[in-house]
Amino acid sequence: MTFDRLWINARLATMAPAAAGLGEISPGAIAARDGRIAWVGPMADLPATDEAPERIDLEGRWITPGLIDCHTHIVHGGDRAREFELRLAGATYEEIARAGGGIASTVAATRAASEDELVIGALPRLDALILEGATTVEVKSGYGLDAESEARMLRAARRLGAERPVAVATSFLGAHALPPEFAGDADGYIENVVSEQLPLVTKAGLADAVDAFCEGIAFSPKQVARVFDAASAAGLPVKLHAEQLSNLGGAKLAAAYKALSADHIEYLDEEGAAAMAAAGTVGVLLPGAFYFLRETQKPPIEALRAAGVAMAVATDCNPGSSPLTSPLLAMNMAATFFRLTVEECLLGVTRNAARALGRLDEIGTLEVGKSCDLAIWDIERPAELVYRIGFNPLHARVWRGR
Ligand code: DI6
Ligand code: FE
């Protein structure tokens, strides 16, 4: 066999579905060729190699698949630190919004930003994710809310993947909020999303998926269905911000469109969970938003488990409801607030996050043929990745074999 690079004396959490639990192999080795995993298994079975590849002795360190943050809004203009201060002083989200703040202020700042400025603004957030072992990051639009601004956000997101050794998956989120010029005319805005924004971003190949926000303060299931019909016609998979603040049946709607994921889902009911399970729709848990908005309604984890819904965990990094750039802290919050097990948390940032992006064939587990994306950790037990708060034990990160 010919390998480019070989990591030996490691403890592997392969997260492979055939194995039980974390799919532990210890002591194990993993080999890369042409950026892909060419071999993975116990040290004792390591095959003889034709040439001498670069050998890296990990001295017992743990390897997991590179982490996948499957739900972020890291591309945007401005920040909302001032709004945070106002909220601490007693202002409500609604008061801030009525005074022209809130999501509208991020839309204004994003519209005013050039593509370069959007890239430069997002890089520190992306770097924070990378420093914790992220090798794939999803990035949404949704603060432009007109065709040119949405396309600019997605071009900036694509450029992030060229600026850094990381894979970027983009989601077009035109149906995120109602822009001021369409005040009182949500149907008219949805028409703009499907007839102007979506055609522009699909023609330019800027979107890997289409997302929407189904909520009382955002768009109705009927309006979301209109967006999903257009996405399906354009051949793009869909996902949905669903059941975050109330239960509108968004997850069930998403499942009817075979959505990759339904995200937030605090107010999900059993019917919604069953529909997601039947459709193979991943439930993406976003404990950062739950924490930052001081929510009390928790996602129905027992119902999700009982129905057999695959659960992912993501940062939801955005300036308004989850200014979080730590997948490790997201896991800790998922465990502490939602009582996910360590195994569920780790699956949530690897295999199930890959599914939520429709990329399970490529990433998410340590299996032969997949992209050689690895996170190498200075830990004794995988639980340490979930248990610590504000501590980063990443030893090294490998993306596409390097
Ligand atoms: N749900 C959220 O919590 C964020 N977007 C969404 O669909 C809020 C985004 C913001 O306030 O900027
Ligand atoms: Fe979000």
Side-chain angles (χ1 to χ4, degrees):
M1 284 199 174
T2 319
F3 303 139
D4 299 330
R5 204 164 281 106
L6 188 56
W7 293 266
I8 59 168
N9 295 324
R11 288 181 274 183
L12 309 177
T14 65
M15 312 310 291
L22 306 178
E24 180 177 346
I25 301 175
S26 179
I30 188 161
R33 196 175 80 202
D34 299 331
R36 297 197 170 268
I37 297 172
W39 191 86
V40 56
M43 282 295 289
D45 299 346
L46 197 58
T49 48
D50 300 339
E51 290 149 48
E54 185 186 342
R55 284 167 87 91
I56 300 149
D57 188 340
L58 288 178
E59 300 169 331
R61 291 188 179 89
W62 278 87
I63 304 181
T64 66
L67 304 192
I68 301 164
D69 193 349
C70 70
H71 181 141
T72 88
H73 310 246
I74 58 171
V75 170
H76 56 78
D79 67 66
R80 306 256 283 278
R82 179 67 190 135
E83 171 181 326
F84 180 61
E85 287 183 302
L86 293 172
R87 279 174 54 207
L88 288 174
T92 67
Y93 193 86
E94 286 73 24
E95 284 165 353
I96 291 162
R98 260 185 267 114
I103 196 162
S105 70
T106 302
V107 172
T110 302
R111 285 178 169 180
S114 68
E115 188 181 312
D116 283 346
E117 286 167 343
L118 290 176
V119 171
I120 289 164
L123 279 174
R125 296 186 274 273
L126 179 62
D127 287 340
L129 300 174
I130 287 172
L131 276 170
E132 290 195 359
T135 49
T136 299
V137 174
E138 187 257 16
V139 182
K140 301 176 193 300
S141 65
Y143 290 116
L145 309 184
D146 62 48
E148 183 38 46
S149 303
E150 286 290 302
R152 191 167 67 256
M153 284 188 76
L154 293 172
R155 283 196 301 271
R158 288 269 193 248
R159 268 179 57 192
L160 291 176
E163 295 279 343
R164 293 291 187 268
V166 70
V168 170
T170 57
S171 299
F172 166 61
L173 179 57
H176 187 200
L178 197 59
E181 63 274 20
F182 280 93
D185 185 18
D187 284 330
Y189 178 66
I190 290 296
E191 184 54 34
N192 181 274
V193 168
V194 300
S195 66
E196 289 189 27
Q197 299 181 31
L198 185 65
L200 183 70
V201 302
T202 51
K203 212 174 95 202
L206 289 171
D208 299 324
V210 173
D211 197 348
F213 188 17
C214 186
E215 193 56 67
I217 58 164
F219 300 102
S220 70
K222 204 170 150 221
Q223 289 160 341
V224 170
R226 176 115 172 74
V227 175
F228 281 2
D229 284 334
S232 303
L236 288 174
V238 299
K239 40 182 54 238
L240 188 64
H241 287 69
E243 269 78 272
Q244 180 186 6
L245 307 169
S246 63
N247 182 3
L248 297 185
K252 200 175 147 195
L253 171 75
Y257 285 84
K258 293 270 179 283
L260 292 173
S261 68
D263 304 35
H264 287 287
I265 57 173
E266 276 85 346
Y267 286 82
L268 182 73
D269 56 24
E270 274 176 29
E271 199 187 335
M276 287 172 67
T281 298
V282 176
V284 179
L285 308 175
L286 305 169
F290 172 88
Y291 163 82
F292 195 71
L293 296 179
R294 308 177 76 229
E295 296 288 337
T296 52
Q297 172 87 19
K298 297 177 187 183
I301 302 301
E302 276 309 332
L304 290 163
R305 284 180 184 137
V309 175
M311 292 182 280
V313 176
T315 63
D316 193 17
C317 177
N318 78 71
S321 70
S322 187
L324 171 65
T325 48
S326 169
L328 295 174
L329 186 52
M331 281 197 283
N332 177 269
M333 287 177 171
T336 304
F337 290 135
F338 302 161
R339 310 314 284 167
L340 260 62
T341 65
V342 166
E343 183 183 324
E344 285 170 332
C345 288
L346 290 171
L347 282 169
V349 295
T350 57
R351 189 169 92 211
N352 292 342
R355 266 186 68 179
L357 298 179
R359 296 192 178 190
L360 188 54
D361 291 346
E362 274 292 307
I363 54 173
T365 63
L366 303 181
E367 292 180 282
V368 170
K370 290 199 180 185
S371 181
C372 188
D373 297 352
L374 316 175
I376 304 172
W377 306 98
D378 270 320
I379 54 171
E380 281 301 315
R381 298 167 60 82
E384 289 174 55
L385 298 176
V386 179
Y387 141 83
R388 288 185 199 280
I389 301 169
F391 182 79
N392 181 4
L394 189 75
H395 170 75
R397 195 192 70 115
V398 176
W399 184 68
R400 298 192 177 164
R402 299 187 161 272

